[in-house]
Every structure is written in structure tokens, then in C-alpha cells.
């Protein structure tokens, strides 16, 4: 555009001063065509820049068609000179073209040039990579290139008198640098500049000299250089080439920063964006933004703070000899005035404003792979918008929208697209809640394109990737983790391939550590499947088989271990223990009902369900009386076998035919018509469960639920349930009457075994159930004698009570999915077999722990952990634990081994055991005081590691207990909870003295007087 040829506008990439200068120069020159540094394949994408949906920062993404992971980006911000040139050309209707090296060569080209050429370049000794700005700043006496650029370009303006003057000065400076440094350590630039010259010649043939070129200032001297077409083509000859595709993708200010690794990056993209968009008074507007951000973070910032910060920034600029305050001056002013000298809020200002998290947008009309389009469609359907700023997302999987979001995020993680990272859920440990940290990064667009080879939709691609990963997994734990991820992602179609790989690897892997690492993820998968409605029967079978192999191989694997291996094995024992517990819950749920869950729709007050009606003459029975909280429509059967209706009660929660008795939490007596006068009494229930419906006995009469049908003249009483457990299935007795099983205890205990009645007569063992399964064993009699079958018709009194299990309970026999009317469906024999196998797994695991606890060859930390787990399970009493501890801490045990035993026993939150058990604390204290001085230094690190994990309150309580000694008043619990100056027991007389005043305050004194004589 000059007498010498086309207009060459050398710029700094992403420099707002250069962007303003480019617009001014283009307005003055009015070129016929604009050539821009960039890949020529993107010429077809330039018109999209006029679409309002394309909002910078954006980037041109080029990737190889056959290898999408091989990619390159060309970023553009709103303040980038190249973007300003593109928008100017579109606004003026002027052709715009990219003239840099094609992306096909860029992606295929190795990082180095051919060796011969590279050697000739490096022999000069000066071919170190040169930073042009740093060189110019040093020549001008600046130690900071950014500060020099601000003073020389940003604060100078766009050149109101001569819009071309800034570019001529910059081109002259770069010419001097190229004469001194040559290619500046960038041999590839020589090839790129040859391509630019060829494209420039072609444009000049088409448009003449009315052509403007916008490129990096470093390249301007090379474009002015007179070379032949043959020489330029020789540099381009033989370059490798691949087939590529290009599109626009969103970008962020953070990715424009030099700290992100971007070669042409800048230190402060947010600050530069502010300078470009601020119409006037940039410092005042910037400090106002800072004040707004700090106010959002609940910091006290007033208008007076902003005014004073502006004054300080201007003063600092004058003292430093700068034309205007720059980023350094404003930052110092913010620190001193708005942040009270603290760098903590200043770091927030730098992260959120100086760098920024602005995310660009791309319209739907932009080219994209089918997987990208499916992802965008799902993002919109699920209202899950990508954002550059990290945010936390709480999901409730019981809702369809949140469940869909969870599946999408898990599928993307399977594909290697880390848009979200799962985190711990706050306030919930269940499987129906998830917490995610979401943050969209520009390179995820590359991951999406790369994942497109697996399928055209997210679901299909995730399935194909999972199947491929199953075959390539290196360890058994990798396969089980993959199975868990498939369930989380809702990919049941991928499970068969994963299960085949899992079965193959589990059969070949003999390392107990590998098996122990694999089991937890597999068991978690069962729980996730229950929440997401996935069939996990195959997984449960593999998990059970895996657990069996661990039980067999764990004891020998725990012997002859050093300290590090023993600590690792303790972690395996903990993992297996937790997995076995979760396996019980998961398999119980898979069988039809969660252990301890309510069978049917439980009432708020805890309904006892329907008692059995008497058998009518035709074999049909009427409904029994409803329990507390649930009103049954009919009463009990009459003595003549005809089921007559009862009288309904009137109170809230009262059972029909009972009256106010149900309000007191006690079920009525139901008379069962069996041809003899028999009574069945329901005990009060404390939970909210509904008893299961009766199962027909062999005599065609209805068997009672909860009370035992003892036969002729026998009375049966069921023990109270303390939780919300569902009543177990009644078993059919050999005498054709129904033997009922009491409700399960809290948390879903197992169907209880009968124990002797109050009269001391022996208990009756339950007969086989209807499906032929074995009945539970009876508990021993009170006097220690074995329980024996009762004499039918002898009037024996039989009581059912809960049997101990894990923590004093065992899961009840589930009865299948409950219906809304409070009834449940009996399980098929296969489900009952799985539940019985589950009980066997738990019992065998306890046996393994007992073996570990009593074997001297097992590492001390593992033995101590085994004793601790047995105590937690209720399988080991405090006395037995104290005996084992005494053996482990005896004088014959080396101090280091004893310390390891203590670490296994009380480590990991076991401090409360010592607080609440005086014997255990005394044993530890006695052992520790008896450790020889020469061995104490070896023991101290282990004990310090153990006790340092306790909460400060627990450590303080233990210290106080040890200080008081064994002669202190009360047990350790009392001493730990009693404040100084207060007695261990309350003073009844002093407490009674305040009762009259308390009654007056509560207004109950008058009511008591009014009630005097009631009920007399």
C-alpha cells in the first residue's frame, strides 16, 4: 500500500495497543485485501467470525483426521490484532486470507529441521532462542519487557497523527534484531516465512499492491526481503503432510497466559482486555472492578478506598517516570489500599481479573465431529453449560435430570474428557448423591475430537472405549474399577465384555493384595447398580467368589512381613472388611429388599401389620387386627371359624377392634382359630416397619406373622423389634401349623432364632420353610442346656428373640420388592440361596479374623487390626480383647512388635476405645511405662504416628485419664465426661428443689392440680 509495496503491519500477538493501531491503519489505508498470519485451510472459516454466536476468546483447532490427538491451536482474543483485522475485513466486505504454513505440514512436521540444516544454524554460536521484546527492553534500559511494551506501545495510543508510524518504528527495530540474531533460534520460521512470501506474491498478482499484511513483527523484515520464488519453494519442498480438519473452538483468557505454556502468551490477558475495551479512564475503571470483586468476597471496600487507590497509582507512576499507571502501579495500589497490605486477597484479584476466566462461545454452524454435536445436544438438554470458572455441582440421583448429568459426566471420564472430577459429598454418605467439580478447558475440545473414533454419540463411544479398555487392562484392580465406572456411567451393554475380562483375570491372579484391591470397587459397583436400577447379579457372583479366594489366601499372606508390607496388608484387611460389609447390604438389596428395610409401606408410628385371622370352615381366614400406626379394615376371626369383623378404634393410629390399646404402642391379642383355643400376642414395635403377610400353612389355615403358632393351647410371644426391620417369613412346622419368626432388630437383623420361654421349658426349633430351605438354629436354654423340641399340646410357652450378627445383628431374610399396600412378595429359592451364601461369607470372614488375631506369626499391626474389627463386629467381648492385648503386650513380646499391635488395634480412630474402656487403657499405660529406655526410641515413632491421628479432644481426654491414674473416681467414661468441680452422679435432692419453679415456668403446675383424682 506504499510506493515500496504492500502494507506490512507488524504486531505483538494479543497486544491491545497493536490491535487499536491495526484498526486505525486499516481505516486509513483501506486495502483491497487483508492477509493474516494463520493456517490457509481456515479461509473457509473466516465468514463465521461475523456470526454473533462466535464470541472471543476462540481458537482455530486443527487436528489430523486419522489421529485426532495430534492437534494445534491458533488462539484469538477480542484484543488480538489478527481478530481485529478479520472483523474489519468482514465489516468492509474485503477478502481476508490466512498466509502461514498450512496446518497439514505443521501437524506432520517434527520439532526439528533436517540435521544438516540444523547444524549449519547452530555453528554460529548465537542461535539461542531470542525474545525480541526482552532484547528491545534491555536496549531501552528496562528490566521488564512487559513494562517496556506498555510504555512504548500501550500508553502511546494508536498514532493519531500518523497511523503507520508505530509499525514503521517496530519494523525498524525488528530489522536490527534480525541482522544481529538471524532466525533467533527459530529455524522453522524460515520455512514459515517462505510460505508467507509465496502467498503474498499470489495476492499481489490478484489485488496489486493494495494489500495489507497483519503478522508478528518478527516476520516483517523477512517479508520485505527480496527472494526468488524458486528459493522459497525449495524450502517448502519435501515437507511431511497429513490430512487435517479445522474448526472454531472456545478458548479462555487463562489459556492465553504465558504461564499456561502458550508460546505467544501474555502475562495479563484480563488486564489487556480491560485496556482494549475501556473507552476512557482505564485506571479508575479497573480499580472499580477490583473493588466490586473484593466486595463480593465480603471485604470492606468503600468508594473512598477506590479514590485513594487511584491517587496512589498516579503518584507511583509519576515517581517511576511512567506516562500512565500500568499494571504494576495499580497492583501496588490495590495491595496497599484495598487489601490492607495482604497478598491473600491480591492473589484473588490476579486470578480472577488480571488473568481472568472468560470463556468464548462457538455457534452451532461451526464444523464439528458428530460426537461434539451429540455432547452439545446433551449439555443443553441437561442444562449443563460449560464454564471456564471451576464450580461445584451437587447431584441427587433420584431425579431424572441429575441422574442424566451423572451418566454424562461419567461417560466423558471414560472417554478421557475430564470436564468434571467427582468429589466427596457433603452431608451424605449414601450412593444417591454425587458432588462434582466442573471446569471446561479448551483442550477438552481436542479430547472430544480424539474420542470421536469410538463412536458418533457419547453413549456409543463410551461403550466402545470401555470394551476396549477391558481387554487392555493391566491388573485385576483395573478391571474392577472399569466395571464400577461402567455402572456409574449407565453402560449395562458394556458389562458383558468387562465381566469376561474380570472372570479371566480373577482366575489367573493369585496375589492376595491384588484381589483385596479389586474387591472394594467391585462391591461398590453392586451398590451403584442398586441405585441406578442396573442388574448386578453377575457382579455379585464374581464378588463372592473373589471374597472366598481372599479368605483362603489372606492368612498365609500376612506372615513374615516387614513393617512397610505389614502396613500395606493392614490396609488390605480394612478394605476387605468394608467390602464384605457392603457386599452384605448390596446382595441383600439384590435379593429383593435392603437388610433392615421396611417391608411394605411403614406407618409413621411403626405399624405392627396385620395379624393372622382364624381359619374358616372353608379354609379361608379373615384379616387380623391392625397394629399401631396402621388401621386394618377387619378384626380377628371368631371362635367358630367364621371370620367376623371387629370394631374399629377411634384414636389416631389405633387398630380396628382394639380401641385405645394401639395408641400405647402395644398390639392387641389376636385369637387364632385352629380348632383349639390358642392365643398369639404381638409385642410392641419401636420401628416403622410393616410385618409381612401370613403364609398359608399345610392345614390351609393362615399362619401368624411374628407370633409363633405353637399348636394346641400354646401361647407364642414375639420379641420387640428395635429398628425398622421387616418381619421374616414364617416357617411351616411339621405338625402343619405355622412357626413364626419375630421381627428383625435394628438395622435389619436376621430372622431370630427362638429362645426359651419364661417358664424355662425348652424352645421349639423351627421346621423347614415352605421352599424347603433349612430353618435357623434355636438358641440355647437359660440354664445352658440344649434346646429340644417341645411336646405338642403341652402348653409350652415359646418366645422368639433376635440372634446376634454383625454388631449384634444379622440381616433379615428379604422378601422381595414391597408393594404400596404394605404387602411383600416371597423370594424365589435362588434369591434365598444367595442370602444364605452371604451369611456364610460373613461368618467365614470372622473366622479369618479370629485366625489372624491368634496367630503369632502374623505381623503385629495385622493382629491388632483383626482384634479391633472383631470388637467392632460384636464378635469379641471387651474381656477377650483385653486378654489378647495382654498377651501381645507381655514382656516376651519385642517392644517394636507390641507397638505395631497397638497401632493396628487403636489406630484409625480407635482412641475412643481407650477412653471408654479402663482395662484397655490401663494395659497400654502399663506396657508403655515398662518399655526399656534403650527400646523406647524405637517405639516412639510408631506410637506418635498412632496417637497423632486422634482428634485433639480425644488426645486431651486420654491425657487427663492417664494423669488421674486408676485411682480416680468413676470409670474412664465418667472421668472423661465430668467437669472439674462437679460430682460423678447427680444430686437428687438439689435437683428436686428446682422442680416447683420449673413447673411454674412451664405452666404445668395448674394442669397437675386439675388432673388430681383422675382415674381413681
Amino acid at each position: 500500500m506504499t510506493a515500496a509495496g504492500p502494507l506490512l503491519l507488524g504486531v505483538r500477538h494479543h497486544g491491545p495497543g497493536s490491535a487499536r493501531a491495526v484498526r486505525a491503519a486499516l481505516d486509513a489505508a483501506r486495502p483491497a485485501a487483508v492477509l493474516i498470519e494463520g493456517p490457509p485451510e481456515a479461509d473457509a472459516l473466516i465468514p463465521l467470525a461475523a456470526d454473533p454466536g462466535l464470541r472471543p476468546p476462540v481458537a482455530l483447532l486443527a487436528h489430523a483426521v486419522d489421529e485426532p490427538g495430534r492437534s494445534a491451536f491458533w488462539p484469538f482474543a477480542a484484543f488480538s490484532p489478527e481478530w481485529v483485522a478479520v472483523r474489519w475485513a468482514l465489516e468492509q466486505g474485503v477478502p481476508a486470507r490466512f498466509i502461514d504454513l498450512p496446518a497439514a505440514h505443521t501437524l506432520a512436521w517434527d520439532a526439528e529441521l533436517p540435521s544438516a540444516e540444523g547444524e549449519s544454524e547452530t555453528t554460529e554460536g548465537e542461535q539461542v532462542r531470542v525474545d525480541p521484546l526482552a532484547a528491545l527492553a534491555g536496549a531501552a534500559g528496562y528490566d521488564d519487557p512487559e513494562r517496556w511494551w506498555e510504555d512504548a506501545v500501550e500508553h502511546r495510543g494508536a498514532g493519531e497523527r500518523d497511523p503507520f508510524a508505530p509499525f514503521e518504528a517496530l519494523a525498524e527495530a525488528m530489522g536490527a534484531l534480525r541482522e544481529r540474531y538471524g532466525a533467533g533460534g527459530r529455524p522453522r520460521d524460515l520455512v514459515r516465512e517462505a510460505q508467507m512470501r509465496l502467498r503474498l506474491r499470489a495476492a499481489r498478482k490478484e489485488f496489486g499492491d493494495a494489500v495489507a499484511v497483519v503478522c508478528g513483527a518478527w516476520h516483517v523484515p523477512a517479508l520485505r526481503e527480496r527472494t526468488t520464488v524458486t528459493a522459497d519453494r525449495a524450502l517448502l519442498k519435501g515437507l511431511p503432510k497429513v490430512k487435517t480438519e479445522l474448526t472454531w473452538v472456545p478458548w479462555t483468557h487463562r489459556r492465553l497466559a504465558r504461564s499456561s505454556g502458550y508460546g505467544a502468551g501474555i502475562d495479563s490477558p484480563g488486564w489487556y482486555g480491560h485496556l482494549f475495551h475501556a473507552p476512557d479512564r482505564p485506571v479508575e475503571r479497573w480499580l472499580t472492578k477490583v473493588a466490586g470483586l473484593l466486595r463480593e468476597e465480603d471485604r470492606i471496600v468503600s468508594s473512598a478506598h477506590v479514590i485513594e487507590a487511584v491517587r496512589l497509582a498516579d503518584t507511583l507512576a509519576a515517581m517511576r517516570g511512567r506516562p500512565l499507571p500500568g499494571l504494576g502501579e495499580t497492583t501496588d495500589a490495590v495491595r496497599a489500599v484495598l487489601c490492607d497490605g495482604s497478598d491473600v486477597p491480591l492473589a484473588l484479584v490476579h486470578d480472577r481479573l488480571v488473568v481472568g476466566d472468560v470463556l468464548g462461545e462457538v455457534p452451532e454452524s461451526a464444523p464439528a465431529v458428530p460426537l461434539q454435536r451429540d455432547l452439545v445436544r446433551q449439555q443443553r438438554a441437561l442444562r449443563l453449560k460449560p464454564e471456564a470458572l471451576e464450580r461445584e455441582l451437587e447431584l441427587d440421583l433420584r431425579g431424572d435430570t441429575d441422574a442424566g448429568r451423572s451418566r454424562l459426566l461419567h461417560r466423558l471420564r471414560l472417554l478421557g474428557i475430564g470436564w468434571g472430577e467427582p468429589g466427596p459429598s457433603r452431608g451424605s454418605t449414601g450412593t444417591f448423591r454425587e458432588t462434582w467439580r466442573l471446569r471446561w478447558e479448551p483442550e477438552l475440545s481436542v479430547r472430544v475430537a480424539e474420542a470421536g473414533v469410538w463412536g458418533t454419540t457419547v453413549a456409543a463411544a463410551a461403550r466402545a472405549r470401555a470394551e476396549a479398555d477391558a481387554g487392555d487392562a493391566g491388573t485385576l484392580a483395573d478391571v474392577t474399577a472399569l466395571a464400577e465406572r461402567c455402572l456409574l456411567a449407565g453402560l449395562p451393554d458394556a458389562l458383558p465384555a468387562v465381566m469376561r475380562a474380570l472372570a479371566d483375570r480373577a482366575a489367573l491372579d493369585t496375589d492376595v493384595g491384588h484381589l483385596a484391591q479389586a474387591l472394594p470397587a467391585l462391591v461398590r459397583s453392586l451398590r451403584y447398580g442398586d441405585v441406578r436400577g442396573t442388574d448386578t447379579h453377575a457382579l455379585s457372583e464374581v464378588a463372592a467368589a473373589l471374597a472366598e479366594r481372599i479368605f483362603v489366601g489372606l492368612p498365609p499372606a500376612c506372615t513374615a512381613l516387614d513393617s512397610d508390607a505389614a502396613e500395606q496388608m493392614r490396609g488390605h484387611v480394612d478394605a476387605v472388611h468394608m467390602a464384605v460389609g457392603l457386599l452384605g447390604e448390596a446382595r441383600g438389596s439384590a435379593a429383593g429388599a435392603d437388610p433392615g428395610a421396611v417391608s411394605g409401606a411403614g406407618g409413621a408410628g411403626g405399624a405392627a401389620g396385620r395379624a393372622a385371622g382364624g381359619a374358616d370352615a372353608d379354609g379361608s381366614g379373615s384379616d387380623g387386627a391392625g397394629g399401631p400406626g396402621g388401621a386394618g379394615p377387619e378384626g380377628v376371626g371368631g371362635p367358630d371359624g367364621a371370620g367376623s369383623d371387629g370394631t374399629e378404634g377411634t384414636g389416631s393410629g389405633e387398630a380396628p377392634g382394639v380401641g385405645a390399646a394401639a395408641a400405647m404402642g402395644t398390639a392387641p391379642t389376636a385369637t387364632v382359630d385352629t380348632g383349639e383355643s390358642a392365643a398369639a400376642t404381638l409385642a410392641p414395635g419401636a420401628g416403622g416397619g410393616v410385618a409381612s403377610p401370613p403364609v398359608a400353612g399345610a392345614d390351609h389355615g393362615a399362619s401368624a406373622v411374628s407370633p409363633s403358632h405353637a399348636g394346641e393351647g400354646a401361647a407364642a410371644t414375639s420379641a420387640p423389634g428395635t429398628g425398622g426391620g421387616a418381619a421374616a417369613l414364617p416357617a411351616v412346622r411339621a405338625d402343619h401349623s405355622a412357626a413364626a419368626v419375630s421381627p428383625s432388630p435394628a438395622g435389619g437383623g436376621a430372622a431370630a432364632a427362638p429362645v426359651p420361654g419364661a417358664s424355662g421349658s425348652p424352645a421349639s426349633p423351627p421346621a423347614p420353610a415352605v421352599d424347603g430351605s433349612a430353618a435357623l438354629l434355636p438358641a440355647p436354654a437359660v440354664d445352658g442346656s440344649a434346646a429340644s423340641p417341645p411336646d405338642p399340646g403341652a402348653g409350652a410357652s415359646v418366645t422368639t428373640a433376635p440372634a446376634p450378627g454383625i454388631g449384634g445383628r444379622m440381616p433379615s431374610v428379604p422378601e422381595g420388592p414391597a408393594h404400596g399396600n404394605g404387602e411383600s412378595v416371597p423370594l424365589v429359592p435362588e434369591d434365598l440361596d444367595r442370602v444364605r451364601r452371604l451369611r456364610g461369607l460373613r461368618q467365614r470372614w470372622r473366622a479369618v479374623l479370629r485366625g489372624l488375631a491368634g496367630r503369632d506369626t502374623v505381623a503385629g499391626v495385622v493382629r491388632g487390626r483383626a482384634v479391633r474389627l472383631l470388637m467392632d463386629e460384636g464378635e469379641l467381648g471387651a474381656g477377650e480383647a483385653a486378654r489378647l492385648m495382654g498377651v501381645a503386650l507381655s514382656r516376651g513380646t519385642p517392644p517394636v512388635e507390641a507397638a505395631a499391635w497397638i497401632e493396628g488395634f487403636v489406630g484409625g480412630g480407635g482412641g475412643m476405645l481407650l477412653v471408654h474402656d479402663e482395662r484397655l487403657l490401663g494395659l497400654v499405660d502399663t506396657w508403655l511405662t515398662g518399655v526399656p529406655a534403650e527400646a523406647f526410641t524405637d517405639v516412639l515413632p510408631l506410637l506418635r504416628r498412632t496417637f497423632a491421628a486422634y482428634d485433639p479432644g480425644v488426645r486431651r481426654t486420654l491425657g487427663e485419664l492417664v494423669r488421674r491414674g486408676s485411682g480416680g473416681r468413676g470409670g474412664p467414661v465418667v472421668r472423661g465426661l465430668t467437669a472439674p468441680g462437679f460430682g460423678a452422679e447427680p444430686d437428687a435432692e438439689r435437683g428436686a428443689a428446682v422442680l416447683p419453679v420449673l413447673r411454674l415456668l412451664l405452666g404445668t403446675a395448674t394442669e397437675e392440680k386439675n388432673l388430681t383424682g383422675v382415674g381413681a
Side-chain angles (χ1 to χ4, degrees), residues 75-425:
F76 297 86
F79 50 85
S80 299
E82 296 87 348
W83 179 259
V84 171
V86 168
R87 292 302 303 263
W88 185 91
L90 292 174
E91 292 169 0
Q92 304 299 324
V94 173
R97 297 173 185 174
F98 290 112
I99 61 171
D100 203 347
L101 192 68
H105 297 311
T106 301
L107 296 179
W109 201 9
D110 293 333
E112 298 179 359
L113 289 173
S115 57
E117 223 175 297
E119 290 174 2
S120 64
E121 293 290 344
T122 57
T123 53
E124 299 179 8
E126 296 178 342
Q127 293 304 315
V128 179
R129 192 172 182 87
V130 177
D131 183 358
L133 291 185
L136 294 176
Y142 284 78
D143 58 355
D144 184 1
E146 295 293 331
R147 189 156 56 90
W148 173 82
W149 179 260
E150 284 188 351
D151 291 347
V153 178
E154 302 300 336
H155 296 163
R156 187 180 182 278
E160 290 78 4
R161 297 182 180 178
D162 185 0
F164 308 111
F167 301 103
E168 294 174 356
L170 197 57
E172 183 180 355
M174 292 299 169
L177 290 177
R178 293 297 292 263
E179 290 178 3
R180 173 70 177 83
Y181 296 106
R186 301 175 179 87
R188 181 177 295 189
D189 284 354
L190 299 177
V191 180
R192 294 177 57 203
E193 290 160 355
Q195 169 70 17
M196 292 182 190
R197 288 191 293 265
L198 291 175
R199 298 278 294 179
L200 179 57
R201 290 190 185 98
R204 292 179 69 181
K205 287 182 180 180
E206 183 177 357
F207 301 103
D209 286 340
V211 175
V213 179
V214 180
C215 63
W218 178 258
H219 304 299
V220 170
L223 295 184
R224 286 181 174 176
E225 183 180 354
R226 295 185 178 274
T227 61
T228 63
V229 176
T230 303
D232 289 340
R233 288 178 177 174
L235 288 175
L236 297 172
K237 186 177 181 181
L239 290 179
K241 187 177 182 180
V242 296
K243 186 178 181 180
T244 60
E245 291 181 350
L246 280 81
T247 186
W248 291 104
V249 295
W251 204 250
T252 66
H253 276 176
R254 190 173 302 278
R255 288 298 174 182
L256 287 172
R258 184 180 288 114
S259 58
S260 67
Y262 175 38
I266 53 181
D267 290 337
S268 50
W271 165 254
Y272 276 5
H274 169 76
L275 293 180
F276 181 74
H277 291 103
D280 55 9
R281 306 175 70 178
V283 176
E284 290 85 347
R285 294 179 183 274
W286 176 258
L287 292 174
T288 302
K289 282 185 179 180
V290 173
L293 173 63
L294 294 177
R295 286 170 183 167
E296 291 176 359
E297 298 298 324
D298 296 331
R299 294 189 63 89
I300 301 176
V301 179
S302 65
S303 300
H305 286 83
V306 177
I307 295 172
E308 185 58 32
V310 172
R311 290 176 179 173
L312 180 57
D314 290 337
T315 302
L316 290 174
M319 292 176 60
R320 296 170 181 174
R322 308 194 65 183
L324 289 173
L327 181 59
E329 287 71 32
T330 55
T331 300
D332 291 342
V334 168
R335 179 191 291 110
V337 180
L338 304 184
C339 299
D340 298 325
S342 174
D343 287 336
V344 175
L346 188 65
L348 176 68
V349 173
H350 181 272
D351 184 68
R352 301 277 288 275
L353 293 181
V354 176
V355 176
D357 281 306
V358 179
L359 177 65
E361 296 181 9
V362 174
E364 292 185 4
S365 55
V369 296
L371 181 64
Q372 175 70 42
R373 297 192 181 280
D374 181 66
L375 175 58
V376 172
R377 182 168 56 253
Q378 293 195 45
Q379 287 172 340
R380 292 184 176 178
L382 297 172
R383 300 188 297 277
L384 205 57
K385 183 179 179 181
E387 296 179 1
L389 184 64
E390 182 175 302
R391 65 188 180 100
E392 192 173 88
L393 180 66
E394 293 280 350
L395 299 180
D396 187 341
L397 304 183
R398 294 169 296 185
D400 293 340
T401 300
D402 281 357
R405 292 172 174 174
S406 174
R407 287 192 295 269
L408 175 62
L409 293 173
H410 281 294
R411 289 171 181 176
L412 292 178
R413 292 191 74 227
L414 266 173
L415 293 171
I417 304 171
W419 178 18
E421 288 295 328
S425 297

Side-chain angles (χ1 to χ4, degrees), residues 793-860:
S797 176
V798 180
T799 306
T800 59
I806 292 181
R809 59 184 183 272
M810 278 285 288
S812 60
V813 179
E815 302 185 11
H819 297 281
N821 58 5
E823 297 184 355
S824 58
V825 179
L827 294 177
V828 296
E830 291 79 3
D831 290 335
L832 291 174
D833 290 340
R834 290 204 300 271
V835 175
R836 281 192 292 272
R837 188 180 180 191
L838 163 64
R839 292 175 184 156
L841 282 178
R842 287 189 169 182
Q843 293 296 339
R844 284 191 290 279
W845 172 239
R846 293 178 191 138
V848 172
L849 291 178
R850 285 186 177 275
L852 295 176
R855 184 176 296 184
D856 294 338
T857 57
V858 174

Side-chain angles (χ1 to χ4, degrees), residues 1005-1016:
T1006 304
E1007 297 177 5
E1008 290 182 359
K1009 292 180 181 180
N1010 294 336
L1011 292 175
T1012 301
V1014 176

